[in-house]
Amino acid sequence: VQLQASGGGLVQAGGSLRLSCAASGSTFSIDDMGWYRQAPGKQRELVATISGGGSTAYVDSVKGRFAISRDNARNTVYLQMNNLKPEDTAVYYCNVKIIYYRSRLVDEFWGQGTQVTVSS
């Protein structure tokens, strides 16, 4: 399973970005998908998750500004980020939990990270 993340960049405060992360492969189904971020000198934190059934959850600091969604046909998870703030600056990582069809084993994978920089 490979994850390809894209969509990061440099934006001014108040601006918007949309992150995408696509999972490649065909021997599994995807369960939970999520986005994490890690700012310099800080621990990686969970930003948002979306379950296989579409239930979402967010860290308090992004509620009302970020929206996570998924396209199951494309094995892709998105993070729409609006009203960005300088404190949102971090490397963003996608995370996917999968279930292999044959073995029913569960595994998780991480994307390579995409930099989001918000200038004040």
Side-chain angles (χ1 to χ4, degrees), residues 70-115:
R70 60 191 289 167
D71 183 337
N72 292 328
R74 291 180 169 82
N75 287 345
T76 300
V77 61
Y78 305 96
L79 186 67
Q80 178 67 44
M81 305 185 292
N82 300 324
N83 190 22
L84 283 159
K85 303 177 180 181
E87 52 264 42
D88 295 319
T89 296
V91 177
Y92 284 70
Y93 298 89
C94 57
N95 174 272
V96 171
K97 294 179 175 60
I98 68 164
I99 303 171
Y100 291 103
Y101 288 131
R102 294 190 66 180
S103 67
R104 308 305 296 170
L105 289 174
V106 177
D107 206 345
E108 71 172 336
F109 295 86
W110 292 88
Q112 81 277 17
T114 183
Q115 177 69 47

Side-chain angles (χ1 to χ4, degrees), residues 16-61:
S16 298
L17 286 173
R18 188 191 194 207
L19 305 183
S20 301
C21 179
S24 61
S26 60
T27 61
F28 54 87
S29 62
I30 297 179
D31 194 8
D32 295 345
M33 308 179 87
W35 289 95
Y36 290 69
R37 67 186 178 186
Q38 188 166 18
K42 294 187 177 181
Q43 290 187 331
R44 188 174 298 189
E45 68 168 350
L46 176 63
V47 177
T49 60
I50 184 166
S51 70
S55 298
T56 60
Y58 300 90
V59 67
D60 286 345
S61 59

